[in-house]
Amino acid sequence: MLSYLNGPQSDPFYYIYSSKGWLTDYDPVREFPFWINIEPTNYCQLSCLFCSRQLSKRPLGQMDFSLFQQIVDQVSKWEGSALRFTGWGEPLMHPQIGAMVEAAKKNGLKLKLYTNGLALNEELMDIFIEAGLDDLQFSMQGLNQRQYLFNRVGSDYNKLKKNIFMAAKRRGGRARPFLSLLTSVLETELSQVNPVEFTDYWLKTVDKVAVDLTNLKFVAQSQRVKPYLNQQSKALNRGKCIDIFLALEVKYDGSIQFCGQDSQALHEHTIGSFPNISLYQAWHSSKINAQRDLVGRGEGHDKLKVCQNCYHNTDKYELFKKSW
């Protein structure tokens, strides 16, 4: 479920979402990906029910600014390609996140930043406004405070709301940053709150609201998740992977992966290490092409630990395609 205050054309990334190669006609492979997804850090304040980070054994760390600048320099050579700050941590916990936003925008790149919103403050928001950050997307959970706190363990619902309102107020009448809000829900939660009411409420403050289904399969072995797996049993028919034709992932240590769903940074999902291998080389490597054959052109998901639990590229995308 995807809703806009002023229509999809108001989205700064509409040029991607409406272009050939996005969701349809994505094979043969583009010369360079639509998105380079950057993990500034894998530190996070929360321990969310649904998040694979709870099972990860990766060391905690921050992306070195010089490494990030090299990524910016490479991506800026490819017109239309964009950056997303995301990954298995909270981007705003990187001590140089403001400078990273400024560096990307000074190089003319389009930039989207995902955040749980808790570390946002007026100083950071002013930096984002001044730099011209294109999209600031807040991630929520559930459709009300009770559902949110159940899923986002250790969070503060009132603080998040306050920060979203602050962001909108400081932006004022400016068009940027575009403000997005994404929440995902358990099936049982949909019967408790009308998602239309949730959307209508938030579209008074932000520009875009998305309501998605929570996938618990990635964390099925977590003891605290097992009681809820049967409740989250919506039947989704697995299809061929689309993301592998759209984006590359760069972890905080420079590891390049073809899948953003791997919190462990497993070897089987790792193409190489940046800058030892360029983003262009990674995108056209034999390893990623073999994975495209396996799960993008075929349906060999069961052969990969992460892909076997994924329905990210199935009926979910059908819903988004209908939204356009």
Side-chain angles (χ1 to χ4, degrees), residues 21 23 38 50 84 104 131 170 189 205 215 225:
L23 307 190
I38 306 293
F50 57 89
R84 289 190 290 205
R170 294 194 82 80
E189 293 171 341
T205 303
N215 182 9
V225 167

Side-chain angles (χ1 to χ4, degrees), residues 28-40:
V29 180
R30 289 169 48 84
E31 189 70 5
F32 199 73
F34 283 113
W35 296 103
I36 300 296
N37 296 330
I38 306 293
E39 179 186 68

Side-chain angles (χ1 to χ4, degrees), residues 98-112:
M100 294 170 84
V101 170
E102 291 173 334
K105 293 308 301 177
K106 284 179 181 177
N107 278 265
L109 289 174
K110 291 278 192 178
L111 175 62
K112 182 182 181 80

Side-chain angles (χ1 to χ4, degrees), residues 93-140:
M93 293 188 72
H94 193 291
Q96 294 176 288
I97 193 65
M100 294 170 84
V101 170
E102 291 173 334
K105 293 308 301 177
K106 284 179 181 177
N107 278 265
L109 289 174
K110 291 278 192 178
L111 175 62
K112 182 182 181 80
L113 190 155
Y114 293 82
T115 178
N116 61 34
L118 299 177
L120 186 64
N121 54 44
E122 293 182 352
E123 180 182 1
L124 267 180
M125 190 63 201
D126 289 346
I127 290 173
F128 296 161
I129 293 169
E130 183 66 25
L133 174 64
D134 297 281
D135 189 347
L136 182 62
Q137 178 161 309
F138 296 94
S139 57
M140 194 178 276

Side-chain angles (χ1 to χ4, degrees), residues 21-22 26-37 74 78 81 84 241-250 256-259 271-272 274 277-292 297:
W22 181 257
Y26 45 81
D27 196 13
V29 180
R30 289 169 48 84
E31 189 70 5
F32 199 73
F34 283 113
W35 296 103
I36 300 296
N37 296 330
Q74 286 198 13
W78 297 92
S81 292
R84 289 190 290 205
C241 180
I242 296 174
D243 276 8
I244 202 167
F245 295 97
L246 306 179
L248 273 181
E249 314 287 326
V250 185
I256 305 174
Q257 294 193 296
F258 63 77
C259 178
I271 304 165
F274 183 88
I277 180 175
S278 71
L279 297 173
Y280 180 86
Q281 289 170 328
W283 186 241
H284 294 282
S285 67
S286 57
K287 187 165 186 177
I288 195 173
N289 280 325
Q291 302 305 331
R292 289 184 180 117
R297 299 182 179 104

Side-chain angles (χ1 to χ4, degrees), residues 22-246:
W22 181 257
L23 307 190
T24 60
D25 301 321
Y26 45 81
D27 196 13
V29 180
R30 289 169 48 84
E31 189 70 5
F32 199 73
F34 283 113
W35 296 103
I36 300 296
N37 296 330
I38 306 293
E39 179 186 68
T41 180
N42 64 340
Y43 282 93
C44 186
Q45 322 96 311
L46 305 181
S47 178
C48 298
L49 178 74
F50 57 89
C51 184
S52 299
R53 188 177 178 277
Q54 64 184 285
L55 303 174
S56 178
K57 298 179 181 179
R58 289 174 65 208
L60 297 176
Q62 315 271 14
M63 178 173 283
D64 186 81
F65 187 85
S66 63
L67 180 68
F68 174 71
Q69 185 64 63
Q70 291 179 72
I71 295 171
V72 166
D73 291 342
Q74 286 198 13
V75 180
S76 62
K77 296 176 182 178
W78 297 92
E79 185 177 356
S81 292
L83 296 182
R84 289 190 290 205
F85 285 158
T86 178
W88 294 103
E90 167 50 48
L92 298 190
M93 293 188 72
H94 193 291
Q96 294 176 288
I97 193 65
M100 294 170 84
V101 170
E102 291 173 334
K105 293 308 301 177
K106 284 179 181 177
N107 278 265
L109 289 174
K110 291 278 192 178
L111 175 62
K112 182 182 181 80
L113 190 155
Y114 293 82
T115 178
N116 61 34
L118 299 177
L120 186 64
N121 54 44
E122 293 182 352
E123 180 182 1
L124 267 180
M125 190 63 201
D126 289 346
I127 290 173
F128 296 161
I129 293 169
E130 183 66 25
L133 174 64
D134 297 281
D135 189 347
L136 182 62
Q137 178 161 309
F138 296 94
S139 57
M140 194 178 276
Q141 218 67 34
L143 298 170
N144 59 22
Q145 183 174 10
R146 183 184 61 78
Q147 293 176 358
Y148 172 84
L149 294 175
F150 171 77
N151 287 281
R152 296 220 157 211
V153 181
S155 194
D156 186 331
Y157 181 79
N158 291 326
K159 185 175 183 179
L160 172 61
K161 285 186 65 175
K162 180 181 177 180
N163 285 347
I164 296 174
F165 293 146
M166 177 274 292
K169 182 177 180 180
R170 294 194 82 80
R171 184 190 68 169
R174 302 176 185 88
R176 298 289 180 268
F178 190 79
L179 299 178
S180 306
L181 176 63
L182 169 65
T183 193
S184 73
V185 295
L186 302 176
E187 273 194 83
T188 52
E189 293 171 341
L190 281 172
S191 63
Q192 298 167 5
V193 182
N194 186 341
V196 175
E197 293 179 5
F198 173 90
T199 297
D200 289 346
Y201 173 81
W202 280 108
L203 280 181
K204 297 173 184 175
T205 303
V206 302
D207 304 296
K208 173 183 174 181
V209 176
V211 181
D212 199 359
L213 288 171
T214 302
N215 182 9
L216 295 179
K217 291 183 180 180
F218 288 122
V219 289
Q221 68 251 54
S222 170
Q223 290 301 317
R224 62 177 180 163
V225 167
K226 287 181 179 180
Y228 310 105
L229 282 175
N230 291 336
Q231 298 174 5
Q232 193 67 358
S233 58
K234 189 174 181 66
L236 291 171
N237 297 317
R238 179 189 292 155
K240 296 175 182 178
C241 180
I242 296 174
D243 276 8
I244 202 167
F245 295 97
L246 306 179

